[in-house]
Amino acid sequence: MNSFSLSFRLLLRQSRSGALGLLAAGLVVATAALVAVSSFTDRVGRALEREAGEALAADLIVAGRDRLPREYFELAESMGLDTAEIILMSTAVFVGDDSMLIDVKGVAGGYPLRGELRLADRLGGEDEAVRAIPERGTAWLEPRGLRYLDADVGDTTELGYSELTITRSLVFEPDRGGSRFMLAPRMMVNLEDLLESELLGPGARARYRMLVAGSENDVDAFTREIETRLGEEQSLITVADAEDQTGLALTQARRFLGIAALTTVILAAVAVLLSALRFSHAQRDLVALLKSFGATGGQVMSALSLMLLWLVGVAVVLGGLAGLGAQAIIAQILAEGPAGALPPPRAMPVLSSGLFTVLLAAGFALPPLLNLRSVPPMRILNRSLDTRVGLKGLLWVLPIAGALAIPVLQLGHLRLALIVLGGSALLALTLALGGWLAMTITRMLSKRATSAWRFGLAGLHRRRAAGIIQVTALGLGLMSLLLLMLVRTELLEQWRGSLPPDTPDHFLVNIQPDQVEDFEDELIRVGARNLQIRPMANVNLVGSSGTIRQDDRMAGQINVSWIDELPPANEVIAGEFFSPEATGEVSLADMWAQRVGARLGDELVFESGARQFTATVTSIREVDWNSFNVNFFVLLSPEAGDILPHQYIASFYLADGDGSVLRPVSRAYPNVSIIDVGAIIERIGEIIDRVSSAAQVVFFFTLLAGIVVLLAALEATRDERRHESALIRTLGADNAMVGRGLLIEYGVMALLAAFLATIGSAVTGWLLARELFEFTYQPSWQLFAVGFLAAVVLVIGSGWLGNRSVLATPPVRILRTGR
């Protein structure tokens, strides 16, 4: 008997059966769901990375202390890349008799390569998005620079030996760099004007940059080539290196989309498992018949394995096309979503999703088929010679591990995978144990129960192995749906609320000690809220009793502060924060401590001027740097204020949002720098809103896959229930009693699966919030109560609707035909 030809005949014959159709549907849904989510996630991720390029106004920057060679530009242009040159320097700028330190940026044609500028025709005027550079002889000045110089559009400024006319107010530039403490206001000029100003002579502290943008492959190729040519004082700056406050928001966005992708993986695995078990269960008569006609066990298994391979191939093609169509529809819906139009889909997510489906079939569908080898030929005459189909042995472990590794590597979030997949695996073990205990308890209870309860509880025990698998599958499916509901309704909202309405949007730097009280009164008068004023001193770290990495850029000159209580947005994770009476103690931010190698108990030696002092590390803090509060790497105990020369720094939220009310303050205290970071906060809020919309669409698609899994789980043992109900009705039971028994059976499974799934989703959500999104999760127990009740109703209702045909079909027909 030829296994190859037999596999085709079996595929054609079984294609008319519901068992194979359910397995095919499971594989198609698995492929389609993963292709749609992974492809769309890949496109959104690339779009977010492209949007993150606005932190550089490019995809890549070549930086140097001298003007970069022309051959760098020629190399990039020869590779099809766009380029632009900028020069940055700080210098004094005059408007009339007033002057101040200004951060000047000279830009050449093509700037910005990524993102847009926002300009206004006058100070305080409505801004508009443009992609252009200042014309020769003109300058664009930031609003706070205009306020400090009491200037406006139309005034003339002196830049070195050049006179420039201020023609626009520079409201926003994409490559502001995210530095909230950029002390000097920005003025943008034409690169030729800066070159002719004679400010770039020997000794000038200028920064030279070459901006590069283009396709991913071209930028990667250029990066590899330029790395071999860089000089000692030249370096590359990538999007990942950009110190932009939007970076965390973009990372969070990828994580939310990653949850959707991994949840889809779980649902796909459960769907294939249930479909495979039911299909294999239905093939026992076929295998027995083939063996009775002389086929060997090896030939039958080869034919069934080849049939599964053809089925997987068809499912990959159909599911891939369906998935691509689904992600195209999603992308069209979100055409105005993250980063505007999405990049075109790539082949890699589709190919990896196809490989995932192949491995998933090998791990879940193939082992039950191989277990059919033990079905005896005599089964066609004697059904008592039955063989239960399961997952014996460890054959399924390797392909499943390989399958799950694909989305983990594709998403690139190992911690996210460990939490979602690890939580699911732990829940699966808990569900299996809970199912086993439930089956054991129901056996004892069925002996003392009434007829309907006895029928329902005994049914659970008779199908103990299948029931355990069914409870586990239902629990995993319900946990995935509840987790999606949790992420969609709570985690996203809490992420959105991580920037409260009074998030500080202004900073004051260089406040002198004798000005603090006056400043506080004046800021409160103009409407400042959430005001924080902290002392700040500059010191050098010169020694330690431990091992300090002095070569790290964080270990040299640092800004420190002192305080008598733990400040907001700080949490002690090791040691104990010092008391107001403490002396000679220091608390370190965890990030800084790790970078320089400091630990609890180390004695750090600091130097300020000609004076040295020693402080012992008594606590390590986790700092929320995205809170926009005044935070420091190093906090000293309060007595430091008596020995260190210092100034003050303040953060506050301006209630009316009009920075013009600060003009009298800046004029009265010219030594104080006022920094407006409202544009950065607005940018983060925009990213959160866009990703929330994208995530909800992805979650909706995954929700559909979850519903399919639940229905497949409820169908897994439907055939056995049909036969049992037909038999008991033949013996005299009425439809009402059988119906109550089915409801009892489904009810027990629903309560157990929903209870454990609710706990699993709560724990997983808490871990995601704490370990990945880094905010305190405050669960809504009302949401979990609603989710639990909805899960119970969904399982019982779906099971009841799926088995209504059992009660409507005459028992004789079921016993004769087996259907």
Side-chain angles (χ1 to χ4, degrees), residues 382-540:
N382 187 356
R383 292 294 182 92
S384 64
L385 300 174
D386 205 353
T387 301
R388 293 288 179 179
V389 177
L391 294 175
K392 299 178 182 179
L394 297 177
L395 180 65
W396 50 278
V397 173
L398 291 180
I400 290 178
L404 296 181
I406 290 176
V408 172
L409 295 175
Q410 192 168 312
L411 293 171
H413 292 300
L414 182 58
R415 291 177 64 198
L416 176 64
L418 289 176
I419 292 175
V420 177
L421 297 179
S424 300
L426 182 61
L427 177 64
L429 293 176
T430 305
L431 285 165
L433 178 60
W436 178 81
L437 289 174
M439 304 306 161
T440 303
I441 294 173
T442 56
R443 180 182 182 183
M444 296 183 293
L445 294 178
S446 64
K447 298 177 181 179
R448 304 175 183 177
T450 59
S451 56
W453 280 92
R454 184 182 302 118
F455 174 68
L457 296 177
L460 286 171
H461 176 70
R462 284 192 301 271
R463 290 178 292 274
R464 182 167 55 183
I468 292 174
I469 294 176
Q470 199 167 13
V471 168
T472 303
L474 284 171
L476 287 174
L478 290 174
M479 191 206 78
S480 299
L481 297 179
L482 290 173
L483 184 60
L484 287 180
M485 181 177 67
L486 176 68
V487 170
R488 181 180 178 273
T489 59
E490 290 205 343
L491 293 187
L492 276 173
E493 287 302 317
Q494 291 194 30
W495 182 37
R496 189 193 305 274
S498 62
L499 287 178
D502 60 350
T503 298
D505 57 1
H506 287 78
F507 289 85
L508 298 177
V509 181
N510 200 31
I511 306 172
Q512 298 306 306
D514 60 347
Q515 298 174 327
V516 172
E517 292 185 4
D518 293 339
F519 253 106
E520 186 172 6
D521 293 340
E522 184 66 19
L523 290 174
I524 293 175
R525 185 189 67 79
V526 300
R529 296 209 308 255
N530 196 14
L531 175 62
Q532 299 179 44
I533 302 178
R534 301 277 187 265
M536 181 175 71
N538 190 266
V539 301
N540 284 305

Side-chain angles (χ1 to χ4, degrees), residues 269-478:
V270 174
V272 171
L273 172 62
L274 296 173
S275 303
L277 287 174
R278 188 176 184 216
F279 173 72
S280 299
H281 185 271
Q283 304 311 302
R284 291 174 296 172
D285 287 337
L286 173 64
V287 172
L289 182 62
L290 290 173
K291 285 186 174 182
S292 67
F293 280 106
T296 64
Q299 289 175 327
V300 173
M301 291 303 101
S302 297
L304 289 175
S305 300
L306 286 172
M307 183 189 68
L308 177 64
L309 180 62
W310 311 139
L311 188 65
V312 168
V314 173
V316 167
V317 173
L318 295 179
L321 293 175
L324 286 175
Q327 65 85 28
I329 294 173
I330 296 173
Q332 184 63 35
I333 294 174
L334 296 180
E336 300 300 324
L342 298 179
R346 294 189 296 187
M348 185 53 66
V350 180
L351 295 177
S352 61
S353 299
L355 178 59
F356 165 81
T357 305
V358 172
L359 292 174
L360 206 61
F364 280 132
L366 188 59
L369 288 177
L370 295 181
N371 285 340
L372 292 175
R373 179 190 296 268
S374 58
V375 173
M378 289 298 296
R379 186 184 184 280
I380 60 175
L381 299 177
N382 187 356
R383 292 294 182 92
S384 64
L385 300 174
D386 205 353
T387 301
R388 293 288 179 179
V389 177
L391 294 175
K392 299 178 182 179
L394 297 177
L395 180 65
W396 50 278
V397 173
L398 291 180
I400 290 178
L404 296 181
I406 290 176
V408 172
L409 295 175
Q410 192 168 312
L411 293 171
H413 292 300
L414 182 58
R415 291 177 64 198
L416 176 64
L418 289 176
I419 292 175
V420 177
L421 297 179
S424 300
L426 182 61
L427 177 64
L429 293 176
T430 305
L431 285 165
L433 178 60
W436 178 81
L437 289 174
M439 304 306 161
T440 303
I441 294 173
T442 56
R443 180 182 182 183
M444 296 183 293
L445 294 178
S446 64
K447 298 177 181 179
R448 304 175 183 177
T450 59
S451 56
W453 280 92
R454 184 182 302 118
F455 174 68
L457 296 177
L460 286 171
H461 176 70
R462 284 192 301 271
R463 290 178 292 274
R464 182 167 55 183
I468 292 174
I469 294 176
Q470 199 167 13
V471 168
T472 303
L474 284 171
L476 287 174
L478 290 174

